[in-house]
Amino acid sequence: MEAEIEKVILSEAAIKERVQNIAKRIVVDYEGKKLTVIGVLNGGLIFLADLIRHIPFTVKIDTVRVNTYLGDATYPKREADIVDNIRLKVKGEHVIVVDDILDTGKTLAKTLQMIKEQNPLSIKICVLLNKRARREENVVADYSCFDIENQFVVGYGLDFDNKYRNLPYIAVLKT
Ligand code: XMP
């Protein structure tokens, strides 16, 4: 697997430190509140697992599975569909949605729209990576670990063809 890596752009140590710092901010912001953390599968899986283990108080966890796809020649826009919704009820809860990357914003826009229908007390977004250059939706990350340039990255949950999610760092592939 490592032979296919061009360059590591975020090391395992850098990610670990930054995830810990973001978790500390979340702990300060939500201590004493009813918090539900919702991870976006599959990409957000690793980040979600690491992040929540730094939260020392009671927190409910659920996941949503979102499919992002490109349309066809007549409608070539990138779209997102919720294919597996949350099971928890979040009315009256504070919610943080956790994903690997905020790119065009389609995935998180759709996820937020669906969660807001349940009238949570508040809803915020937490992402590992923020790729601002490609934004198409008006979605803002409340907590973001790293800004990255407009390049395709893998590792720490992010895949290419469902591979590389288990790399402990973020990297660019050889072309
Ligand atoms: P949108 O465009 O909806 O994208 O904000 C979010 C989802 O698209 C995937 N994505 C990537 N996956 N490397 C990846 O492995 C990337 O550079 C990348 N950019 C977007 C990802 O699944 C994310 O949840």
Side-chain angles (χ1 to χ4, degrees), residues 118-159:
Q118 283 200 34
N119 290 319
L121 278 179
S122 71
I123 179 160
K124 286 197 175 172
I125 292 174
C126 176
V127 290
L128 181 77
L129 306 175
N130 195 356
K131 211 193 261 187
R132 294 173 194 263
R134 281 174 28 104
R135 198 79 81 249
E136 291 177 29
E137 299 285 331
N138 182 22
V139 178
V140 177
D142 301 283
Y143 305 97
S144 163
C145 294
F146 303 97
D147 272 5
I148 62 162
E149 298 188 355
N150 187 9
Q151 53 192 349
F152 192 84
V153 294
V154 296
Y156 200 77
L158 292 130
D159 74 306

Side-chain angles (χ1 to χ4, degrees), residues 40-44 66 68 78-80 99-109 129 131 134-137 139 148-155 157-161 163 165 171:
V40 181
L41 298 177
N42 290 325
V66 185
T68 46
R78 191 178 167 96
E79 288 300 334
D99 202 359
D100 52 357
I101 186 166
L102 177 53
D103 189 0
T104 64
K106 298 271 181 197
T107 303
L108 283 166
L129 306 175
K131 211 193 261 187
R134 281 174 28 104
R135 198 79 81 249
E136 291 177 29
E137 299 285 331
V139 178
I148 62 162
E149 298 188 355
N150 187 9
Q151 53 192 349
F152 192 84
V153 294
V154 296
L158 292 130
D159 74 306
F160 174 69
D161 202 15
K163 296 183 289 183
R165 289 194 201 276

